[in-house]
Amino acid sequence: MSKTFFIETWGCQMNDLDTQRLSGNLKLRGYQRVEDETAADLILLNTCSIREKSEHKVFSRLGRFREMKQERALTIGVCGCVAQQEGEAILKRAPWVDFVMGPGNVGHLDAVLDGGRTVAVDFPEDRHYDYLAIDRPSATKAQVTIIEGCNKNCTFCIVPTTRGREVSRPFDDVLNEVRAALESGRVELELLGQTVNAYRCPISGRDFGALLRAIAELSDVKRLRFMTSHPAEVSDSMIAAMRDHANISRYLHLPVQSGSSAVLRRMKRLYTREKYLEIIARLRDAIPEIHFSTDFIVGFPGETDDDFAQTLSLIEEVRYGSLFAFKYSPRPGTPALRIGQPVDDAIASERLTRLFELHEQHKRERLEGYRGRVLPVLVEGPSRHDPDMLAGRTDDNFVVNFSGDPSTRPGSMLGVRIDQAQHHTLRGQVVA
Ligand code: 5AD
């Protein structure tokens, strides 16, 4: 009987893709993936350490696996950013864990499983990226890493520690992976990187705009997305590529973190409020239909009522399509630990609530505004709620459930008239 593995994933798209790579590798080795942890011979936790909460979850999960291990043979590996951050300390705290492997070693799972390495938290020069073995969960969409790590030093952020220094993949290597994904029928591509728009080919020096162009021009690319962009890396060449290619999504994730220049300076975000708004204006000038999503941190050390009022007014000004916001969480070894007074937790919670309330209004208005309009929708398959309907996504990533020909192929792009805006999703019908 073949061996089985169970893998649990937290955190960002990068981690999702690392899971796809680990899973692909294990399947090549003859393992079978199971969704029930009690049926697995190997359990991998692909962890996230961006905030403290995610970190705590890991140890409570490990406690549960300890009990399972007392009853049968089981191998347990901790992967991802908590693995990178804690390394050896995980084995000390949870000695029933068999190995700890950081994001730099995703391409080197063999060395861990066969070579008996128990702590693999380096960033090997040889990144070993086996893109043909990625276990992609979607038949229509492929995520492709173009740059790993981050050279920004935002004072709140653990990523430079957990994912290392920036390394871009060679241009042709990326294109080969993209072509392979297209050949396998995927029509939507999402380029990934912690600072995706800092991409620069290590061989030819070609930049992110050049890469966007080259990919957008390949036939069969119906939608091209990318994340996460850093505002300070938005370049004319990136904007021009987006302007010139309608298959590049007009929906840009551009994390701002705060609307106050004073807070942004303490965060070391490398832009002011004014500069950020100027970048938004440049993008809107070139691509009038563009809209944005973003991330905020509330309760950053020293954030005053006035700083927070500026965050709300920035949201008013930009009117985001979607927005993610988090209470500041102190991370080990980050410079923010030494900055200013922590904000009282009750105040931070209240700010978070007010921020979401404001955004919710904007989002409602946007969704309501779609009523009666025909939007291009990329079909993903039958609707989860009603198998007689189809489901797909708009360019701004909202799910649309709609009536249409049930034999429509996933990956088709259709015009859908929106007739209902629900809480987070839209409903409509195909137009001829
Ligand atoms: N505390 C709270 N939120 C954080 N983020 C990153 N680091 C922290 C932290 N220490 C948020 C930022 C980032 C998103 C991925 O997570 O908003 O854009």
Side-chain angles (χ1 to χ4, degrees):
M1 235 174 57
S2 69
K3 284 196 167 191
T4 55
F5 72 98
F6 169 84
I7 182 162
E8 188 162 313
T9 316
W10 289 285
C12 63
Q13 282 79 0
M14 287 282 192
N15 254 19
D16 286 338
L17 184 53
D18 285 345
T19 285
Q20 295 168 33
R21 291 173 62 196
L22 291 166
S23 171
N25 183 314
L26 287 167
K27 285 184 178 177
L28 275 186
R29 295 170 64 99
Y31 278 79
Q32 196 192 330
R33 185 166 178 171
V34 292
E35 299 305 324
D36 172 9
E37 64 202 45
T38 63
D41 303 307
L42 168 67
I43 292 182
L44 297 180
L45 293 185
N46 195 1
T47 62
C48 169
S49 67
I50 196 82
R51 284 167 291 274
E52 205 173 1
K53 237 196 218 154
S54 9
E55 208 184 309
H56 287 324
K57 281 192 245 166
V58 177
F59 288 98
S60 78
R61 289 295 277 149
L62 287 177
R64 157 96 183 100
F65 298 144
R66 175 190 207 172
E67 292 162 20
M68 286 166 48
K69 208 168 170 169
Q70 280 157 357
E71 286 152 25
R72 63 194 171 87
L74 175 63
T75 305
I76 300 171
V78 178
C79 315
C81 292
V82 175
Q84 189 65 33
Q85 184 189 305
E86 300 296 319
E88 188 101 48
I90 294 179
L91 297 182
K92 294 225 173 72
R93 189 164 157 191
W96 58 95
V97 167
D98 295 276
F99 62 87
V100 175
M101 192 185 97
N105 277 282
V106 168
H108 297 268
L109 181 63
D110 292 341
V112 172
L113 291 180
D114 304 333
R117 264 186 104 185
T118 53
V119 182
V121 292
D122 54 334
F123 288 94
E125 283 281 307
D126 159 25
R127 289 285 163 127
H128 191 85
Y129 198 91
D130 189 357
Y131 59 77
L132 292 176
I134 297 177
D135 183 18
R136 303 194 191 274
S138 161
T140 57
K141 173 175 169 177
Q143 296 171 306
V144 176
T145 295
I146 64 164
I147 175 170
E148 294 184 87
C150 187
N151 285 359
K152 301 282 180 290
N153 288 299
C154 301
T155 55
F156 52 80
C157 192
I158 192 81
V159 166
T161 312
T162 55
R163 297 226 165 227
R165 304 286 296 166
E166 244 170 53
V167 185
S168 289
R169 279 174 72 194
F171 202 92
D172 294 333
D173 194 27
V174 172
L175 280 182
N176 286 340
E177 176 170 352
V178 165
R179 285 197 195 94
L182 291 169
E183 270 161 32
S184 72
R186 272 89 180 181
V187 293
E188 177 176 350
L189 295 160
E190 185 173 43
L191 309 181
L192 295 184
Q194 237 71 42
T195 307
V196 74
N197 56 336
Y199 175 84
R200 190 166 283 277
C201 172
I203 298 165
S204 64
R206 280 174 288 183
D207 71 357
F208 182 60
L211 183 66
L212 280 182
R213 263 178 209 285
I215 296 176
E217 279 163 18
L218 295 174
S219 54
D220 298 335
V221 176
K222 294 201 177 152
R223 204 170 259 166
L224 175 56
R225 302 181 187 281
F226 50 89
M227 78 174 340
T228 298
S229 298
H230 190 290
E233 299 281 354
V234 172
S235 66
D236 290 340
S237 104
M238 162 180 163
I239 296 176
M242 292 178 72
R243 180 198 60 207
D244 295 345
H245 292 92
N247 57 351
I248 303 181
S249 175
R250 267 74 182 103
Y251 186 56
L252 184 63
H253 187 57
L254 204 60
V256 62
Q257 314 298 359
S258 169
S260 153
S261 293
V263 174
L264 290 169
R265 184 167 9 94
R266 291 202 299 278
M267 289 177 164
K268 274 215 183 152
R269 284 295 288 177
L270 311 176
Y271 52 85
T272 58
R273 172 197 177 91
E274 292 69 33
K275 179 82 190 162
Y276 179 83
L277 287 171
E278 198 186 298
I279 294 163
I280 297 268
R282 259 165 69 211
L283 282 153
R284 283 192 167 143
D285 256 5
I287 310 152
E289 69 279 20
I290 196 169
H291 37 258
F292 300 93
S293 68
T294 201
D295 294 342
F296 282 101
I297 295 177
V298 302
F300 187 75
E303 185 189 67
T304 62
D305 284 340
D306 181 57
D307 289 322
F308 181 65
Q310 293 187 48
T311 286
L312 293 182
S313 87
L314 184 98
I315 295 174
E316 278 291 359
E317 219 162 305
V318 180
R319 300 182 78 90
Y320 293 98
S322 57
L323 170 165
F324 304 87
F326 316 93
K327 265 196 278 184
Y328 168 70
S329 168
R331 306 311 300 125
T334 54
L337 297 177
R338 299 186 303 272
I339 297 177
Q341 282 297 310
V343 171
D344 181 80
D345 189 61
I347 293 179
S349 298
E350 198 241 18
R351 287 181 185 164
L352 198 62
T353 308
R354 285 176 58 198
L355 186 154
F356 282 132
E357 277 169 7
L358 177 61
H359 167 64
E360 218 28 62
Q361 283 173 28
H362 296 165
K363 187 167 140 195
R364 281 256 45 88
E365 285 166 29
R366 172 187 301 287
L367 289 177
E368 287 296 334
Y370 283 149
R371 218 196 277 252
R373 283 179 55 190
V374 176
L375 301 179
V377 169
L378 203 135
V379 180
E380 292 184 347
S383 161
R384 252 191 271 164
H385 306 289
D386 178 352
D388 292 334
M389 292 182 77
L390 292 165
R393 280 174 193 268
T394 61
D395 186 53
D396 50 354
N397 225 359
F398 285 111
V399 171
V400 187
N401 294 300
F402 59 98
S403 48
D405 179 354
S407 65
T408 307
R409 288 240 312 262
S412 310
M413 187 75 93
L414 298 176
V416 174
R417 173 165 306 108
I418 305 302
D419 45 40
Q420 219 182 322
Q422 286 160 326
H423 197 56
H424 296 289
T425 59
L426 299 163
R427 278 174 87 92
Q429 42 199 310
V430 171
V431 293

